Amino acid sequence: MSLSLVSGINLNTMQPQPQGLIVETGNGASVLQLPATTLDQIRHIAADPGASTLRLPPPATEIPAGARETDFDLCYVCKHCKVAFPSAAPLQSHQSRSCYLGREAMRGVIRVVQPALECRSCPGERFRTAVEFRRHAESEIHMHNSMQQQQPPLSEPLSHEMEDVVNQITLLAARAAQDTTSSKDPNVNFCAPGPRFPQPGELPLASAGH
């Protein structure tokens, strides 16, 4: 089996080779380029039995406006042969028929997690670097989705029950206003007040000749 961790120098051309993992996609192998420090971590983790998780460094120290940080599975690495697979299912199939044939209970796998930036306006759009996200933020589709989110939602129409309640309240208010107007008849004359009774001390004094 060919070496699954690609690194070093080609002795024939003396040119540096891309460093990364061999990824078996089902349509042929490809090289997933990774930093040398990450490849060293994979070598060390592969010596441990069982399942392990390796989380790569975040794509940006500061999350750009309009983005949120999220994780997604970059690949799954067989600890025995160091071949990577894009998902867990083909890895399990590979290990069952090859590296861990007859000893599936001892399977070793490294789940490589890639932190990414996900667009808040475009669900499902994820980017490995802040530069890629900013390039997306300038696209027409992103601007269209952002404008759609900024528009206020349309008010829902009233249900039939609510319409009946509103109509009843309006009718009662109209009747109350009509009753108030009819009780105030301008032709009604109020009785004029009668003469005021004199208070004690206000009675006229009788003359001495009477």
Side-chain angles (χ1 to χ4, degrees):
M1 181 177 294
S2 60
L3 184 64
S4 302
L5 286 172
V6 180
S7 61
I9 298 177
N10 189 324
L11 298 179
N12 295 327
T13 61
M14 298 302 293
Q15 296 294 326
Q17 297 296 303
Q19 298 182 345
L21 287 172
I22 291 180
V23 181
E24 184 56 60
T25 63
N27 296 321
S30 62
V31 177
L32 175 62
Q33 296 187 13
L34 294 172
T37 53
T38 302
L39 297 178
D40 289 339
Q41 287 179 300
I42 291 175
R43 291 189 183 94
H44 290 301
I45 295 175
D48 299 329
S52 306
T53 299
L54 174 61
R55 190 174 188 271
L56 301 182
T61 54
E62 295 184 3
I63 300 177
R68 58 170 167 256
E69 191 172 278
T70 184
D71 290 345
F72 71 95
D73 294 344
L74 182 62
C75 63
Y76 292 79
V77 182
C78 176
K79 285 187 175 182
H80 181 76
C81 65
K82 315 299 186 302
V83 170
F85 296 84
S87 62
L91 169 69
Q92 293 176 359
S93 177
H94 156 79
Q95 291 182 332
S96 298
R97 69 172 185 268
S98 180
C99 290
Y100 293 91
L101 178 62
R103 52 192 185 101
E104 285 81 1
M106 301 177 62
R107 289 192 316 112
V109 57
I110 304 174
R111 173 174 169 256
V112 182
V113 176
Q114 171 70 64
L117 296 173
E118 184 177 29
C119 180
R120 294 180 180 271
S121 301
C122 309
E125 293 290 342
R126 294 176 297 189
F127 307 91
R128 297 180 62 178
T129 65
V131 175
E132 293 178 358
F133 171 78
R134 292 190 180 96
R135 189 180 300 116
H136 161 77
E138 297 174 355
S139 65
E140 184 176 351
I141 183 65
H142 171 81
M143 294 181 181
H144 174 74
N145 292 339
S146 299
M147 292 179 61
Q148 290 290 335
Q149 290 187 352
Q150 293 175 3
Q151 293 180 355
L154 298 177
S155 58
E156 297 182 357
L158 295 176
S159 62
H160 295 295
E161 293 79 4
M162 289 298 298
E163 289 182 357
D164 293 340
V165 172
V166 172
N167 292 335
Q168 291 177 8
I169 294 175
T170 304
L171 180 60
L172 292 175
R175 288 179 178 176
Q178 185 178 4
D179 294 341
T180 303
T181 304
S182 60
S183 63
K184 295 181 180 180
D185 190 349
N187 297 322
V188 176
N189 295 324
F190 293 95
C191 297
R196 186 173 66 89
F197 291 98
Q199 298 294 326
E202 294 182 355
L203 295 176
L205 297 177
S207 61
H210 291 81

